[in-house]
Amino acid sequence: MNEFGFTTEMHDVWSCDAIVPLIDGKPLTELIDAFETRANMKPAGEMYGGFTSEARDAHSFRPGKSRVVLACSCGDTGCWPLLADIGVDGDTIVWNGFRQPRRKDRDYSGFGPFRFDRAQYGKALSELV
């Protein structure tokens, strides 16, 4: 079981705090950068950013298909987002099916799935609001 949370980081473009998902204490931005770099994807590295509290959709991390889990490093969720399917399996929240809609030929099958305790996940979301 993975642990879910959030951190805030100063965003270089926005000059304000960005909210970044954490998986097992590591920023999702770092995890995906490392995966894309190892997979020799171009471009890769520092392509993603978090969300400002004003721009973050309150339902971004709720279950559903094609949820934006990271925005582009420029701050636009439509520019270079990282998408994932967020599902519920009993007492577990599952993130899988990661994809980059601007590069449909990329293979993210080796990234995830990530499984979170539903209660812990819900607590992290409630603390974010």
Side-chain angles (χ1 to χ4, degrees), residues 1 3-4 7 16 18-19 22 24 34 37 42 51-52 57 69 76 79 88 92 94 98-99 103 105 109 121 125:
M1 193 76 58
E3 186 172 326
F4 183 74
T7 189
C16 67
I19 300 163
L22 294 174
D24 298 331
T37 300
K42 305 273 191 240
F51 302 85
T52 63
D57 178 340
V69 294
D76 184 347
C79 179
V88 178
T92 305
V94 181
F98 290 89
R99 56 200 167 280
R103 299 287 192 272
D105 58 331
S109 60
Y121 187 89
L125 284 179

Side-chain angles (χ1 to χ4, degrees), residues 60-92:
S60 293
F61 304 101
R62 303 275 183 221
K65 295 279 186 187
S66 297
R67 295 295 192 185
V68 176
V69 294
L70 287 175
C72 178
S73 60
C74 76
D76 184 347
T77 57
C79 179
W80 191 266
L82 181 66
L83 304 180
D85 296 332
I86 301 176
V88 178
D89 183 10
D91 290 335
T92 305

